[in-house]
Amino acid sequence: MFTPATDANLADLRAALPDGTFKDATDSYLTEPRGRWQGAGTVVAPATTDAVSRILAYCNDHRIAVVPYGGGTGLVGGQLMGEGAVPLVLSLERMTAIRDRFPSENVLVVEAGAILADVQAEAERLGRHFPLSLASEGSARIGGLLSTNAGGVNVLRYGNARAQCLGLEVVRPDGTIWHGLTRLRKDNTGYDLRDLFIGAEGTLGIITAAALRMVPQPVRIGAAMMAVPSPQAALDLLGIAQGRLGDGISAFEIIHRQGLDFLAEVGPDVKPPFAETPDWMVLIDVGLPAGLSPDTALEDLFTEAVAADLVIDGVIAQSMADRAAFWKIRESIPEANRRIGSISSHDISVPLSAVPEFIARGAPVLAEIGHFRINCFGHLGDGNLHYNVFPMPGRNRADYEAERPAVKKAVHDLAHAFGGSVSAEHGVGRLKVGDLETYSDPAKLAMMRAIKDALDPHGIMNPGAVLRQA
Amino acid sequence: MFTPATDANLADLRAALPDGTFKDATDSYLTEPRGRWQGAGTVVAPATTDAVSRILAYCNDHRIAVVPYGGGTGLVGGQLMGEGAVPLVLSLERMTAIRDRFPSENVLVVEAGAILADVQAEAERLGRHFPLSLASEGSARIGGLLSTNAGGVNVLRYGNARAQCLGLEVVRPDGTIWHGLTRLRKDNTGYDLRDLFIGAEGTLGIITAAALRMVPQPVRIGAAMMAVPSPQAALDLLGIAQGRLGDGISAFEIIHRQGLDFLAEVGPDVKPPFAETPDWMVLIDVGLPAGLSPDTALEDLFTEAVAADLVIDGVIAQSMADRAAFWKIRESIPEANRRIGSISSHDISVPLSAVPEFIARGAPVLAEIGHFRINCFGHLGDGNLHYNVFPMPGRNRADYEAERPAVKKAVHDLAHAFGGSVSAEHGVGRLKVGDLETYSDPAKLAMMRAIKDALDPHGIMNPGAVLRQA
């Protein structure tokens, strides 16, 4: 359907675009962050929406595939095209401006290349808070975060990336620009195109700027680690916590002892929260209004939960340093996982009440395939588990090549059987196109295909991502 | 593009559908709630998703227009088709079941015909809260509320109808069913079809059921009325209130003295909150976590606001009866407006920081057209104003036929000039199709048209609503 960019095409583009638009196609653009796949392409980094528009219009006319590129941190290959005609990789890295600040409206208008940590910092400078937060925030860019509807640790309270966005500027495949950078909180004039582009993974057009929603800074912040007897107890604890503190619960993360065992085995070095590590722990983060003490609120919660046999032990942060130490444990687990080397990693979600049974049934299902270590952790408050499967001690992931497909299928089948998702927050990219086909309702797939064909009739936008190349 | 249903068509449908599906086409189905327009049509009320599917498939094959009908409370004519081939009016009134309850997940699965007040009551029975709340909640149905992305008084805290929905069951125009009733909090597998159907006003398919998000019941509820010197002071007060109490601010409504004057003039009978009615008042509603007293929180806010010259006077509810009395004032204003009879009513939104200037410029712009009374009130926290224009005393709306188009255009032009919306929460329906064309970005309109053609290729779904008939 499309052709590789010829030298003549590239010469045309060079002539039409300002100096500095073309970049060397270094490894960082063409390698998956965990080194698992390799892409290909010519790299352009336009500095303006107008330049993006000219590039897309040209590529649309000449049927050249375009792969949008943000921070390159995606874990499902959405930013890498390794098969088919060599594409143009369009990096937003030069479009990093904060275009406008409206602190009294809690709004920032930023370009798609702005790095998440910079946006967070700008919000803090304005006395506000930008609640999207995830491990790769030092390199992930707003355009990619929105295009993948990124999640992270604060979804429970603030929602995912979609919920942080009021408006978008988008360049369509034919180069026309949708000026949708509204700062309105309410606008019921027509179809919700914003939410269609958010999560479309660059397959319908390129997000070039966004009006982002900030929130007031939580006045009183606190955290606790609590040891729970079971995942069901953790869920019941969440119910009690939300009953008492409502939206004050900012994050509710579950951690299995396997994660702490991995940390002890391979690092990074962290201080375990309990003298004796329990099987299951939760990390609770609270952000409370003026007049409420996080310590007292967490102590009261602890007392009620102990009385209800939902909590065995607990540590309440006495300082911001304590809280940071709790979060360091949680945030070091993915690195420990990487050092151990997973056989298969899964970013699944199930309905909240199904979490305990999913966990209970996962281990025996996998035991039928072989002997593994399971590290199950993640955003319990959202029903989103990172359910990752590892080699037994003394072996490594390469020893399990034969079992890997069966492991992945077993975990995904199980999540699906509970009405779950096989990609809760990482997206589809190219890695999960087959999963999407396997597990999606046919009517959903048919509508997605119809929308893709309607909005990108030549199929130039990130071909092969989300939907198989037609 | 489509034809009226012939007697033969109707006979086919009667034969294919259970007894009781056809209803008399009484006035309630074919009259706008304010009596402003008249529709036409044959009325069917299928009792099951399967019956909806069979009806749509037949109509799609025979090119018969279908107008989905919920509670009939819409104010923009989306539920009434008065021109073109006489359609089938498909009422969801017999699909009112609550299919499933998941209190531990804060989820209810309900059919599209469920009435909002019944859903609210069911949530309360389960010890939860369903936060969508608006004047017509006693008759508005969930399918219509989602199809129009309804707003109301709690959007500030909880978001509009879209934010209350996790998943949908939808019948497509060709009769295929999208089984998208997920209860997942996170699911990044493909395009966001849910949010596309929400707000599409029945032009892409028919919502037959929804998985709705409940929230924990706010533990401590309170309210206050405060007199403010200006709209800018009201906005600044909102900023302080959110800084102190964050999401604890559930509603923040602005009221102009004109509303209270109308109430005094024509009723309904309410007790004015202040001995001397100020020009501007705000109604603040709070829902706070355990451990915080609404009285104390509102008193502290009042004290700070008075010191900052943002508030002149205030009354804090000392009881639920006081709170109800405050809300009765706010909720009686639309009825007083109806009794006075507006020349032109507008449901506009502007960016929050533009509200004061919009209000300041509105009066002189209208004074160039004629002499009017303006009642401006609404959801200040969302930037959503009901900016309604009324006759001078002793005259009535019929005296202003000549001025009406100029009034409407002036208000809409002004909102648009501030980057605002000409339909913040009521939708487009058939009333505002021209406004949508006038004020929308062309790229947005082109994409909407492409999506409509892709998902409803024969254009049978609610023709003429949102988009002009092709």
Side-chain angles (χ1 to χ4, degrees):
Chain A
M1 200 160 187
F2 25 73
T3 58
T6 62
D7 287 347
N9 293 146
L10 297 177
D12 286 349
L13 281 167
R14 276 183 199 277
L17 295 163
D19 285 351
T21 302
F22 279 71
K23 310 279 291 184
D24 289 341
T26 53
D27 260 7
S28 62
Y29 295 108
L30 303 176
T31 310
E32 198 267 343
R34 293 168 301 193
R36 298 201 182 160
W37 318 284
Q38 198 67 24
T42 301
V43 180
V44 291
T48 63
T49 302
D50 178 63
V52 175
S53 164
R54 278 182 284 149
I55 293 167
L56 290 200
Y58 185 92
C59 289
N60 199 48
D61 287 344
H62 293 81
R63 311 290 191 266
I64 297 165
V66 177
V67 176
Y69 188 91
T73 61
L75 297 174
V76 289
Q79 72 277 39
L80 295 162
M81 184 170 155
E83 293 174 2
V86 176
L88 215 61
V89 175
L90 192 154
S91 168
L92 280 302
E93 69 196 63
R94 291 171 72 210
M95 295 183 63
T96 60
I98 293 184
R99 286 195 191 164
D100 269 311
R101 295 159 182 83
F102 302 92
S104 73
E105 297 180 12
N106 283 321
V107 173
L108 273 182
V109 180
V110 310
E111 291 188 334
I115 286 175
L116 174 53
D118 294 338
V119 173
Q120 292 168 339
E122 181 66 21
E124 300 299 323
R125 263 193 294 277
L126 296 170
R128 298 295 185 278
H129 181 60
F130 185 64
L132 191 65
S133 176
L134 35 73
S136 59
E137 61 197 25
S139 43
R141 297 178 191 272
I142 291 296
L145 290 159
L146 289 172
S147 291
T148 58
N149 187 30
V153 295
N154 289 332
V155 173
L156 179 64
R157 176 170 192 165
Y158 296 107
N160 48 20
R162 174 169 287 128
Q164 317 313 326
C165 181
L166 297 173
L168 291 177
E169 177 185 87
V170 169
V171 180
R172 303 180 62 202
D174 67 1
T176 56
I177 300 168
W178 171 39
H179 300 281
L181 273 183
T182 173
R183 288 138 50 205
L184 301 176
R185 302 283 164 165
K186 276 166 120 177
D187 178 17
N188 274 350
T189 53
Y191 301 162
D192 183 7
L193 301 175
R194 174 189 68 200
D195 289 322
L196 186 60
F197 281 97
I198 295 173
E201 302 187 32
T203 62
L204 302 177
I206 293 186
I207 294 172
T208 48
L212 299 176
R213 175 187 83 124
M214 299 184 288
V215 295
Q217 288 178 337
V219 177
R220 304 294 305 276
I221 293 171
M225 291 277 273
M226 296 193 192
V228 293
S230 65
Q232 182 63 55
L235 268 185
D236 293 345
L237 175 62
L238 172 63
I240 290 178
Q242 289 185 319
R244 297 179 72 95
L245 300 171
D247 301 326
I249 307 296
S250 312
F252 198 91
E253 299 281 306
I254 192 164
I255 298 171
H256 187 255
R257 69 166 295 138
Q258 187 66 66
L260 277 88
D261 290 350
F262 281 174
L263 285 165
E265 188 176 335
V266 294
D269 193 32
V270 299
K271 182 172 172 296
F274 299 101
E276 189 168 342
T277 298
D279 276 354
W280 293 101
M281 291 146 275
V282 293
L283 169 52
I284 308 173
D285 211 52
V286 298
L288 302 178
L292 267 190
S293 149
D295 285 13
T296 310
L298 287 165
E299 274 161 26
D300 291 350
L301 172 63
F302 178 75
T303 305
E304 180 178 350
V306 168
D309 289 331
L310 299 177
V311 164
I312 302 160
D313 197 358
V315 199
I316 295 172
Q318 299 302 312
S319 63
M320 285 297 103
D322 283 356
R323 175 171 174 263
F326 293 164
W327 276 103
K328 180 148 196 290
I329 296 169
R330 166 62 185 86
E331 287 169 351
S332 296
I333 291 173
E335 175 58 24
N337 287 344
R338 266 186 290 273
R339 293 182 188 179
I340 297 283
S342 80
I343 298 164
S344 186
S345 298
H346 314 94
D347 166 40
I348 63 96
S349 63
V350 292
L352 271 187
S353 65
V355 166
E357 198 180 341
F358 174 85
I359 291 175
R361 285 174 57 185
V365 162
L366 290 178
E368 289 177 23
I369 301 169
H371 295 292
F372 309 102
R373 290 185 289 179
I374 299 166
N375 190 11
C376 170
F377 66 103
H379 319 298
L380 182 66
D382 314 316
N384 178 192
L385 300 174
H386 298 301
Y387 193 91
N388 297 349
V389 182
F390 294 87
M392 296 301 281
R395 305 186 63 192
N396 65 62
R397 67 192 303 269
D399 300 335
Y400 293 82
E401 286 298 330
E403 287 94 340
R404 179 171 301 141
V407 167
K408 186 171 289 294
K409 182 171 186 309
V411 175
H412 284 176
D413 282 355
L414 189 60
H416 184 67
F418 284 106
S421 168
V422 299
S423 187
E425 60 176 10
H426 293 167
V428 177
R430 291 178 173 81
L431 181 63
K432 295 189 178 176
V433 170
D435 291 317
L436 184 69
E437 292 170 347
T438 302
Y439 297 110
S440 286
D441 183 89
K444 170 180 162 178
L445 283 174
M447 287 191 281
M448 286 176 57
R449 172 62 67 189
I451 291 168
K452 168 75 173 173
D453 292 346
L455 297 187
D456 180 22
H458 300 310
I460 67 160
M461 290 308 312
N462 212 5
V466 185
L467 293 165
R468 205 170 291 277
Q469 290 190 37
Chain B
M1 201 158 186
F2 25 73
T3 57
T6 62
D7 288 347
N9 292 145
L10 296 177
D12 285 350
L13 281 167
R14 277 183 198 274
L17 294 165
D19 285 351
T21 302
F22 279 70
K23 310 279 290 185
D24 289 340
T26 53
D27 260 8
S28 62
Y29 295 108
L30 303 176
T31 310
E32 199 265 346
R34 294 169 301 193
R36 298 203 182 159
W37 318 284
Q38 198 66 25
T42 302
V43 180
V44 291
T48 64
T49 303
D50 178 63
V52 175
S53 165
R54 277 182 285 149
I55 293 167
L56 290 200
Y58 185 90
C59 290
N60 199 48
D61 286 346
H62 293 82
R63 310 291 190 264
I64 298 166
V66 177
V67 175
Y69 188 91
T73 61
L75 297 174
V76 289
Q79 72 276 40
L80 295 163
M81 184 170 156
E83 294 174 2
V86 177
L88 215 61
V89 175
L90 193 155
S91 168
L92 280 302
E93 68 196 63
R94 291 172 70 210
M95 295 183 64
T96 59
I98 294 185
R99 286 197 192 162
D100 268 311
R101 295 159 181 84
F102 301 93
S104 73
E105 297 180 11
N106 284 321
V107 173
L108 274 183
V109 181
V110 309
E111 290 188 334
I115 287 176
L116 175 51
D118 295 337
V119 173
Q120 292 168 341
E122 182 66 22
E124 300 299 324
R125 264 193 293 279
L126 296 168
R128 299 294 187 279
H129 181 60
F130 185 65
L132 190 64
S133 176
L134 36 72
S136 60
E137 60 198 29
S139 44
R141 297 178 191 273
I142 290 297
L145 290 159
L146 289 171
S147 291
T148 57
N149 187 30
V153 295
N154 289 330
V155 174
L156 179 65
R157 176 169 192 166
Y158 296 107
N160 47 19
R162 175 170 285 126
Q164 317 314 328
C165 181
L166 297 172
L168 290 177
E169 177 184 89
V170 170
V171 180
R172 303 180 61 201
D174 67 0
T176 57
I177 299 167
W178 171 39
H179 299 281
L181 273 183
T182 174
R183 289 138 49 204
L184 301 176
R185 302 282 162 164
K186 278 165 117 176
D187 179 16
N188 273 348
T189 53
Y191 301 161
D192 183 7
L193 301 175
R194 177 190 64 201
D195 289 323
L196 186 59
F197 280 98
I198 295 174
E201 303 188 31
T203 62
L204 302 177
I206 293 187
I207 294 172
T208 47
L212 299 176
R213 176 187 83 125
M214 299 182 288
V215 296
Q217 288 178 336
V219 178
R220 304 293 306 276
I221 292 171
M225 291 277 272
M226 297 193 193
V228 293
S230 66
Q232 182 63 56
L235 268 184
D236 293 346
L237 175 62
L238 173 64
I240 290 178
Q242 289 185 319
R244 297 178 72 96
L245 300 171
D247 302 325
I249 307 295
S250 311
F252 197 91
E253 300 281 306
I254 192 164
I255 298 171
H256 187 257
R257 69 167 296 139
Q258 187 66 68
L260 276 87
D261 290 349
F262 282 173
L263 285 165
E265 188 177 335
V266 294
D269 192 34
V270 299
K271 183 172 172 295
F274 299 101
E276 190 168 343
T277 298
D279 276 354
W280 293 101
M281 292 145 274
V282 293
L283 168 52
I284 308 174
D285 210 53
V286 297
L288 301 178
L292 268 189
S293 149
D295 285 12
T296 310
L298 287 165
E299 275 161 26
D300 291 351
L301 173 63
F302 177 76
T303 305
E304 181 178 349
V306 167
D309 289 332
L310 299 176
V311 164
I312 302 161
D313 197 358
V315 198
I316 294 172
Q318 298 302 312
S319 64
M320 284 299 102
D322 283 356
R323 176 171 174 263
F326 294 164
W327 276 103
K328 179 147 195 288
I329 297 169
R330 167 63 184 85
E331 287 169 351
S332 296
I333 291 174
E335 175 58 24
N337 287 344
R338 264 187 291 273
R339 295 182 187 178
I340 298 283
S342 80
I343 299 165
S344 186
S345 298
H346 313 94
D347 165 43
I348 63 96
S349 63
V350 293
L352 272 187
S353 64
V355 166
E357 198 180 341
F358 174 85
I359 291 175
R361 286 175 55 186
V365 162
L366 290 178
E368 289 178 22
I369 301 170
H371 295 291
F372 309 103
R373 290 184 290 178
I374 299 167
N375 189 11
C376 171
F377 65 103
H379 318 298
L380 182 67
D382 313 316
N384 177 191
L385 299 175
H386 298 302
Y387 193 91
N388 298 349
V389 182
F390 294 87
M392 296 301 280
R395 304 186 63 194
N396 65 61
R397 65 191 305 268
D399 301 334
Y400 293 82
E401 285 300 328
E403 287 95 339
R404 180 172 300 142
V407 167
K408 186 171 290 293
K409 182 171 185 306
V411 174
H412 285 176
D413 282 357
L414 189 60
H416 184 66
F418 284 107
S421 168
V422 298
S423 187
E425 59 176 11
H426 293 168
V428 177
R430 291 178 173 81
L431 182 63
K432 296 190 177 176
V433 170
D435 292 317
L436 184 70
E437 291 170 347
T438 303
Y439 296 110
S440 285
D441 184 89
K444 170 180 161 179
L445 283 173
M447 287 192 281
M448 285 175 56
R449 172 63 66 189
I451 290 168
K452 168 75 174 174
D453 292 346
L455 297 187
D456 179 22
H458 300 310
I460 66 159
M461 291 308 312
N462 212 5
V466 185
L467 293 166
R468 204 170 290 277
Q469 290 190 38

